[in-house]
Amino acid sequence: MQASRRLLSADLSRLNQALSLNPQVAAALSAFIGSHSQAQIKLAATESSVPSIDFAQYRKTLKNTKAVDDAEKLVNSFTPKQMDTAKFLKIVQSFEEKAMNRAKQTAETVQTELGSLNQAIADLDSTRPVEDLQERDVLLADPTIEERTEDFAKRSIWGVKQHEETFGDVKVM
């Protein structure tokens, strides 16, 4: 319950920007906040509208005062039924726990992805420019290139059709 109170007091737009939330998660949060505010409005309206019945007016108007007496007795003896909300609170708490677990998993996934992205950026920063690459560097990166080149040379194939079909003929005069 404390997490939902903190969520309601948070600025949702700043939260989305700060955490780079998944659009589905952001939509679910905004839907939750909207339904919560609507529930609060309905609760306030219900609490403020306590009906008062003027039974004396009904006694003057109606001939059957026994019916009015019975109705007044029923209204005065009415007590709201107490409901055990523990079951509902447990459901809400289990939902909250699942949501928190999903949020933690999302945070862990984001951290893992950030780590791999940082590693990729570091790898890109530490690479040599293409102009500095040599034939042996390319062959070390993919040993099958040498085998395919030798095979093409044996069969007297000096061009790659797929490259020309994909990129066109790039020969300069």
Side-chain angles (χ1 to χ4, degrees):
M1 289 304 211
Q2 291 176 347
S4 61
R5 287 190 191 115
R6 280 186 261 146
L7 175 64
L8 294 173
S9 65
D11 182 11
L12 193 58
S13 62
R14 281 194 354 202
L15 186 67
N16 285 341
Q17 289 175 351
L19 298 178
S20 301
L21 293 178
N22 182 338
Q24 294 170 340
V25 174
L29 287 175
S30 63
F32 172 76
I33 291 173
S35 63
H36 182 267
S37 63
Q38 288 178 352
Q40 283 182 326
I41 291 169
K42 286 182 182 180
L43 177 64
T46 303
E47 288 176 343
S48 66
S49 66
V50 176
S52 62
I53 302 171
D54 185 12
F55 288 105
Q57 177 65 30
Y58 284 108
R59 281 192 190 89
K60 289 180 189 174
T61 307
L62 299 173
K63 294 179 182 178
N64 189 357
T65 57
K66 185 175 188 290
V68 175
D69 291 338
D70 290 342
E72 184 177 15
K73 187 170 122 181
L74 284 172
V75 167
N76 291 336
S77 66
F78 173 77
T79 55
K81 186 175 181 178
Q82 296 293 324
M83 289 184 64
D84 183 23
T85 58
K87 180 172 70 172
F88 299 111
L89 290 176
K90 286 180 184 176
I91 292 171
V92 169
Q93 286 175 345
S94 70
F95 176 76
E96 186 176 300
E97 288 174 8
K98 288 178 185 176
M100 291 300 290
N101 288 338
R102 285 189 206 133
K104 288 177 184 175
Q105 288 174 350
T106 302
E108 289 172 2
T109 304
V110 166
Q111 288 300 325
T112 305
E113 289 177 6
L114 281 175
S116 65
L117 287 173
N118 287 333
Q119 181 62 39
I121 289 171
D123 290 344
L124 288 172
D125 289 340
S126 67
T127 59
R128 290 182 286 172
V130 175
E131 298 85 28
D132 294 346
L133 286 178
Q134 296 178 356
E135 179 185 347
R136 63 185 158 92
D137 298 326
V138 175
L139 294 177
L140 285 174
D142 189 4
T144 62
I145 292 175
E146 187 174 16
E147 295 168 8
R148 288 192 314 220
T149 306
E150 288 174 2
D151 181 48
F152 285 165
K154 286 178 187 174
R155 295 189 296 161
S156 298
I157 299 174
W158 304 109
V160 182
K161 289 184 182 178
Q162 294 84 5
H163 185 274
E164 291 176 4
E165 290 172 359
T166 305
F167 300 107
D169 191 6
V170 292
K171 294 177 186 171
V172 179
M173 299 264 221

